[in-house]
Amino acid sequence: MMEEREFNNIYAIPANYTDSGKLLGGMLETRNTIEAGILLLLAGYPELMWLSIPVTAKVIVMTVTLLPLAVAALMGISGDSLFQFIAHLVKFFVRRRKLHLRRVGYKYAKDKTKAPKWRSKRK
C-alpha cells in the first residue's frame, strides 16, 4: 500500500530576483546610470574647462551642481528615468486640454433672442 505524500510547491523567492538588469548588486538601473553619465559629461565638461576660477572654487561649484544632478538622474523620478519623466512632462503639456465648466451660482442668459425689458408686453 502506497502512502500519499504531500508535495510542497511553495518556493521562497529571493529578494534579488528582479535585479538582473541592474548594476552594483541591484542598486542602480542601467538606463539611469547611462543617463547620469551623459548628463554629468554634458554639464561637467563646460564647468571644468570654461570656468576661469581657481581649482578649489571649481571643485565647490561642481560639487554643488553636479552631485544633485547625478543623484536625481540615478534615482529617477516616480519609477521613471529622468529623461522618461521629462518626456512625460512634455507630452502632458502638448496634449493637455482645458476644461470649461459651468460656474456655480452664475446666471447664464437663457435665450439671447428675447426682447429687451423696456419692450415688455404690458401696455
Side-chain angles (χ1 to χ4, degrees), residues 11-69:
Y11 301 103
I13 299 174
N16 62 354
Y17 173 71
T18 59
D19 296 342
S20 60
K22 297 184 179 183
L23 302 173
L24 293 178
M27 290 177 52
L28 303 174
E29 292 188 29
T30 308
R31 178 182 177 122
N32 291 4
T33 308
I34 292 170
E35 287 181 7
I38 291 170
L39 284 174
L40 288 177
L41 284 175
L42 290 176
Y45 181 78
E47 286 184 4
L48 186 63
M49 296 300 169
W50 298 342
L51 284 179
S52 57
I53 55 177
V55 175
T56 308
K58 278 186 186 181
V59 169
I60 292 171
V61 168
M62 291 177 76
T63 302
V64 169
T65 58
L66 296 180
L67 194 60
L69 179 66

